[in-house]
Amino acid sequence: MSAENEIIVSIYEIQNRLDGTGELYFKQIFDRRGSVEYEILFKVYQEIYGKSLLDRSQGIGPFNSNEELQRYAFKLCQELEFQGIYVLPIDAFATLLEKVGSVDELWREIRSSEYFLKNPERGQTGSGSVWKKIFT
Amino acid sequence: MTLTTPVQSDHSVVFPGENWFFYWKTSASLWRSKLEEAPYAGKIYVPINWAFHSETGDDYDFATARPETALSNILSIASALGREVVFLLPVTPVPYLANGGVPHLLARHIAYGPKKLPYAIVDSEDRINRLYSFFDPRVFQAYRKFLRALATYFENESINADLYALVAGTVEAGNFHSFLLDESKIFYQSLARFTSLKEEEGNESAAPKIFGKERETVYKQEFVSTIRNLYLDTVKEFFKSHYEGELNVSFLGATTRDFFDRIASQEKKSRYSREILHAGVADVVASSVLIPSKLKEGALLRALNEISFTALYNQFHTKVSGEIRGLLPLIFFEIFEEARNDLHSFKEIGLFDYLDERFKWNYFHKRVFDFRFEEHDESGKIQIFHAREISAKNFTAILRSFLGGARVILNKSGLSSDLSKRLELFYYENSLKVEKVNYLTMIEHISLGNGTLVVFDGDSLATHPVEKRADFWRKLIDTFEIRHVVVPPTEGIDHYWRYRAPSHSELRYESIRRLSMYNYSSYKRKFKIPLPKNFLTLKVIDAVSSQVTTRPEIIDVEMLPNGSFSVELGVYGQ
């Protein structure tokens, strides 16, 4: 697979709880081959949390913080051995969609967005990388 | 090898599927030649493109500036060619137009689908069409004005053609989801206003009050239904003499999953085939206008012609003749369930594994909201409910439905204590004899006339291993004595069942069933279909790249890639 194709894109939603706090769910995770299979997504969740998803209809989650969300994203990236992952909030994805008219334009917009997290196992990592912050 | 994206032929752009004519895609001077070459005989379906006639939502062009907006000319050309035109007027966003068909200046609030992701669709030319919310009050106001202008144009031009309200959507997980359904902020803002009005009304009314999640669900459904009817009633109001009814259309390639596959250039024929079958089972017309023409060949094209086009034909044929339609989907089960992915769902307690093994494409998954009480249910379908999702009103309707002859299976897990008492009282008041059997869980079986009611507790079932659960369902469903041919699963092969009434020469049979099979794999497939007693092969129809040999108790099949065939079976009585 070419490096151009070695990326995953994830879209997440923040849901408000009754107590005013929020929880995060991945609503969609896909790459240049289409949607990532649910079995892989469930397996990664199980590996991190040691339990199955309780309610799959909400998406992958819940995650209690951005750090937890990113930890999952990194783990998935590692599992699939991809270069990196775009982690987009739903509203940002909607904004990207509103700018584009074709499939090629959508991929260009995603690639130029600011939501990219690089898989450090596929390149150099700086000392202040998000990866390190999460796993150290 | 081509280095550029293949360009679709001009003709398939104008006629992208099932005789739909996209008049805005070509010059009016070419309409005659295009219509002369309409791909199918019969009616020509002309979807009206609101944004094409009104860029701003305030001014309208019906042959005043551009000849391509002269709808009356389509009609006269078609008429001269001996073709009938049916206009389709969308009452929801549509996936084949930019902005879902909403004029550019009104496209402010992107609509969000059931998965709470923005609605976006890839069309047959790799363009991305976003859908915009029909819950935006400005959209409705402009829509109403447009319809008034369109109706005036119809009147001035003496346009005399049938018009259907087009409800666009997809069939996902067995349910038809209209693109009207929306989870956007504008939807929730409008819902909040509706809810507060209802609260005010409720405070003044003596009707029983509902609370919590049920209240939220009831108001949401009522609100969606109100807005849906608002659009529909507007069409009826302005097109009294043309209006023929609603047409639900499931667009292949338009689900959320399709979007993410299609932006990755993953066009899967087998997936579209499944969508055709899902639409067929739901008795909804499927449209292939979003699918690139290069994919519409072989088995997929035949499935489209045999299933989708038949469904479209049936819709109009019923209207015209008012008689029993030709081939209808063969459905034995209707499963009513909202929450489908938790540990107590029918999926988790093994129902679908069992049905997929023996009754694949013979069941229809519905929302509880779609349940309609029928005084005398003669369909013979088995209706399966999950009690935790049933409102008190629906619970009463289900019990009445059983009294009227319906066959009902009720998973009583989550049944409230009130409804539980009501069930006991129902047994008592109607002097019903309740047979109880303990097999993995307590099963109550009640018969009355043609009606059957089976009540069990799914929670107890969930604790048993998979094989035991399958056994439970097999034993339970066997009690209904459904006569059916089980098609053994074969990788890459899809099948679909329909039935029809016997003709005069077939009166010895109770009914005639048609099994259609399609090979989407790249391999030759050989398999056998055992025929139980009471079934007799009548004829093999339209066998393409398939060899079908019939014997009294078995059908031997050999299918090449892209092969397909149908076989008709006569079903004897007891």
Side-chain angles (χ1 to χ4, degrees):
Chain A
M1 194 192 295
S2 72
E4 166 76 11
N5 290 339
E6 289 186 335
I7 54 153
I8 319 174
V9 185
S10 59
I11 303 165
Y12 71 91
E13 184 197 26
I14 304 171
Q15 290 184 8
N16 294 324
R17 290 196 190 102
L18 288 174
D19 63 6
T21 60
E23 50 190 23
L24 301 98
Y25 286 88
F26 281 113
K27 304 304 282 187
Q28 183 69 34
I29 301 182
F30 61 101
D31 61 22
R32 291 302 299 246
R33 292 166 302 181
S35 300
V36 176
E37 290 303 326
Y38 280 121
E39 286 69 28
I40 298 172
L41 303 179
F42 296 154
K43 182 176 157 251
V44 170
Y45 187 88
Q46 173 104 31
E47 278 173 16
I48 297 177
Y49 294 101
K51 62 179 181 187
S52 306
L53 285 171
L54 282 178
D55 183 2
R56 296 173 187 179
S57 63
Q58 294 292 326
I60 306 295
F63 302 101
N64 292 315
S65 63
N66 266 318
E67 282 70 30
E68 275 192 27
L69 186 90
Q70 289 179 354
R71 184 171 173 222
Y72 177 89
F74 272 126
K75 178 82 179 160
L76 182 67
C77 213
Q78 194 182 26
E79 185 79 18
L80 297 173
E81 298 182 351
F82 274 32
Q83 279 197 336
I85 182 163
Y86 289 85
V87 184
L88 288 99
I90 277 192
D91 289 345
F93 181 67
T95 308
L96 286 188
L97 268 179
E98 296 210 65
K99 287 187 201 167
V100 303
S102 70
V103 169
D104 288 344
E105 285 173 25
L106 176 63
W107 281 109
R108 272 201 296 276
E109 282 296 326
I110 290 173
R111 283 204 158 275
S112 61
S113 73
E114 59 189 279
Y115 300 97
F116 186 60
L117 300 176
K118 194 174 174 184
N119 178 357
E121 292 195 342
R122 293 295 301 268
Q124 297 294 314
T125 47
S127 58
S129 73
V130 184
W131 178 265
K132 281 201 167 173
K133 282 179 195 161
I134 293 167
F135 285 98
T136 56
Chain B
M1 194 176 83
T2 173
L3 297 176
T4 53
T5 309
V7 176
Q8 296 214 91
S9 79
D10 181 43
H11 195 67
S12 63
V13 169
V14 181
F15 275 108
E18 293 83 33
N19 261 10
W20 287 44
F21 181 55
F22 284 6
Y23 57 94
W24 59 93
K25 293 269 191 178
T26 190
S27 157
S29 61
L30 296 173
W31 281 355
R32 173 176 284 274
S33 62
K34 298 290 175 197
L35 288 167
E36 276 171 351
E37 293 168 17
Y40 296 95
K43 295 179 169 71
I44 290 167
Y45 305 97
V46 181
I48 293 171
N49 182 342
W50 174 14
F52 188 65
H53 297 275
S54 174
E55 281 186 22
T56 61
D58 255 340
D59 56 336
Y60 310 102
D61 183 2
F62 295 107
T64 45
R66 289 169 301 169
E68 286 73 28
T69 58
L71 295 170
S72 59
N73 284 353
I74 301 175
L75 204 63
S76 26
I77 295 169
S79 174
L81 296 171
R83 307 298 294 266
E84 191 183 335
V85 164
V86 173
F87 286 109
L88 305 176
L89 184 54
V91 287
T92 65
V94 288
Y96 52 82
L97 291 173
N99 301 330
V102 172
H104 177 66
L105 287 179
L106 293 165
R108 300 268 180 89
H109 299 279
I110 197 163
Y112 281 62
K115 280 185 78 181
K116 298 188 179 174
L117 284 162
Y119 265 134
I121 281 108
V122 178
D123 75 6
S124 64
E125 296 167 87
D126 264 3
R127 276 191 304 258
I128 290 180
N129 293 331
R130 297 168 296 275
L131 306 190
Y132 283 84
S133 180
F134 264 40
F135 287 90
D136 181 344
R138 287 169 316 150
V139 169
F140 175 70
Q141 285 155 15
Y143 182 84
R144 194 175 159 78
K145 281 189 196 166
F146 170 68
L147 258 53
R148 181 178 281 124
L150 181 65
T152 307
Y153 170 73
F154 266 47
E155 199 181 327
N156 292 344
E157 295 293 317
S158 306
I159 291 180
N160 183 22
D162 287 349
L163 180 143
Y164 280 79
L166 168 62
V167 182
T170 57
V171 177
E172 279 189 83
N175 276 335
F176 179 70
H177 292 273
S178 148
F179 288 128
L180 179 74
L181 300 177
D182 189 0
E183 296 281 337
S184 65
K185 283 178 189 144
I186 191 87
F187 168 80
Y188 281 103
Q189 283 166 10
S190 307
L191 175 61
R193 284 196 294 274
F194 178 82
T195 303
S196 61
L197 282 174
K198 293 297 289 182
E199 301 274 271
E200 282 171 27
E201 269 177 32
N203 289 339
E204 292 161 14
S205 146
K209 295 198 171 24
I210 44 171
F211 300 96
K213 204 156 177 62
E214 186 181 354
R215 172 178 155 276
E216 207 175 280
T217 309
V218 167
Y219 283 166
K220 191 173 171 183
Q221 287 171 345
E222 203 178 321
F223 176 58
V224 170
S225 178
T226 304
I227 300 302
R228 180 185 172 281
N229 290 337
L230 201 57
Y231 280 95
L232 209 51
D233 290 345
T234 311
V235 175
K236 290 178 194 168
E237 177 189 339
F238 288 115
F239 294 93
K240 283 189 190 83
S241 60
H242 303 89
Y243 182 74
E244 286 292 322
E246 283 174 70
L247 184 69
N248 289 348
V249 178
S250 171
F251 287 87
L252 308 179
T255 67
T256 304
R257 169 101 197 191
D258 285 328
F259 175 77
F260 291 102
D261 283 348
R262 296 184 78 184
I263 62 169
S265 303
Q266 295 291 317
E267 297 278 13
K268 292 174 184 157
K269 278 189 186 181
S270 56
R271 190 165 163 73
Y272 298 140
S273 159
R274 295 293 162 97
E275 290 179 13
I276 294 171
L277 298 180
H278 275 300
V281 167
D283 207 11
V284 167
V285 169
S287 167
S288 67
V289 301
L290 299 171
I291 308 297
S293 56
K294 63 178 193 272
L295 289 180
K296 287 188 259 183
E297 39 106 43
L300 185 69
L301 181 63
R302 290 191 290 278
L304 276 167
N305 290 342
E306 288 162 10
I307 302 171
S308 307
F309 212 70
T310 308
L312 187 61
Y313 173 82
N314 281 344
Q315 292 280 340
F316 293 101
H317 186 69
T318 319
K319 266 286 170 208
V320 174
S321 68
E323 292 169 358
I324 298 169
R325 294 187 288 177
L327 286 161
L328 293 171
L330 180 67
I331 303 297
F332 296 119
F333 306 93
E334 289 178 328
I335 298 132
F336 295 87
E337 191 178 38
E338 297 289 347
R340 299 171 176 190
N341 290 307
D342 67 26
L343 295 172
H344 303 286
S345 63
F346 282 126
K347 185 180 174 190
E348 293 298 324
I349 59 172
L351 173 61
F352 295 111
D353 288 340
Y354 168 77
L355 292 180
D356 284 342
E357 193 186 309
R358 297 183 66 84
F359 297 100
K360 183 89 180 162
W361 305 114
N362 297 118
Y363 66 88
F364 182 19
H365 214 154
K366 289 180 166 181
R367 289 164 300 185
V368 183
F369 178 61
D370 294 327
F371 172 69
R372 298 284 176 273
F373 168 67
E374 286 175 35
E375 194 74 50
H376 298 288
D377 186 342
E378 289 166 2
S379 69
K381 287 175 193 158
I382 298 167
Q383 298 179 317
I384 307 179
F385 298 90
H386 200 149
R388 67 170 178 189
E389 294 169 339
I390 300 172
S391 64
K393 189 176 155 198
N394 269 346
F395 190 71
T396 308
I398 290 164
L399 297 180
R400 282 180 62 202
S401 163
F402 154 67
L403 292 177
R407 307 204 285 177
V408 176
I409 297 177
L410 176 68
N411 174 4
K412 70 174 181 183
S413 121
L415 189 68
S416 69
S417 58
D418 274 359
L419 294 185
S420 198
K421 279 178 203 155
R422 193 182 293 187
L423 183 64
E424 291 300 325
L425 196 64
F426 173 76
Y427 292 159
Y428 177 74
E429 282 177 346
N430 291 285
S431 310
L432 298 172
K433 189 182 166 201
V434 182
E435 289 177 63
K436 293 190 179 182
V437 179
N438 195 348
Y439 181 73
L440 306 184
T441 179
M442 184 57 76
I443 309 165
E444 296 169 0
H445 182 272
I446 305 105
S447 287
L448 185 73
N450 291 331
T452 304
L453 175 64
V454 177
V455 182
F456 72 98
D457 182 0
D459 283 351
S460 316
L461 196 59
T463 57
H464 292 279
V466 176
E467 308 77 47
K468 286 276 184 193
R469 285 182 239 165
D471 205 36
F472 168 85
W473 285 109
R474 186 181 57 75
K475 284 177 191 287
L476 184 63
I477 301 297
D478 277 356
T479 64
F480 288 92
E481 298 180 335
I482 298 169
R483 272 173 289 161
H484 192 43
V485 175
V486 177
V487 178
T490 308
E491 201 185 336
I493 306 280
D494 275 342
H495 74 270
Y496 184 62
W497 282 101
R498 282 169 291 174
Y499 76 99
R500 63 174 172 82
S503 64
H504 292 300
S505 61
E506 297 164 331
L507 288 177
R508 81 189 91 156
Y509 304 109
E510 211 169 63
S511 77
I512 307 297
R513 293 192 191 169
R514 183 181 291 188
L515 169 67
S516 301
M517 302 198 76
Y518 307 92
N519 182 3
Y520 294 105
S521 77
S522 310
Y523 303 97
K524 182 164 91 175
R525 302 289 191 206
K526 282 175 81 172
F527 53 93
K528 293 176 192 299
I529 306 169
L531 292 181
K533 62 174 189 176
N534 297 85
F535 284 86
L536 184 74
T537 310
L538 300 180
K539 58 184 170 186
V540 177
I541 307 163
D542 301 331
V544 177
S545 303
S546 304
Q547 197 170 338
V548 185
T549 313
T550 62
R551 288 183 277 151
E553 291 175 353
I554 212 150
I555 303 174
D556 289 296
V557 182
E558 197 173 305
M559 297 180 87
L560 294 175
N562 257 327
S564 65
F565 72 93
S566 295
V567 60
E568 280 203 342
L569 304 166
V571 189
Y572 284 107
Q574 289 296 349

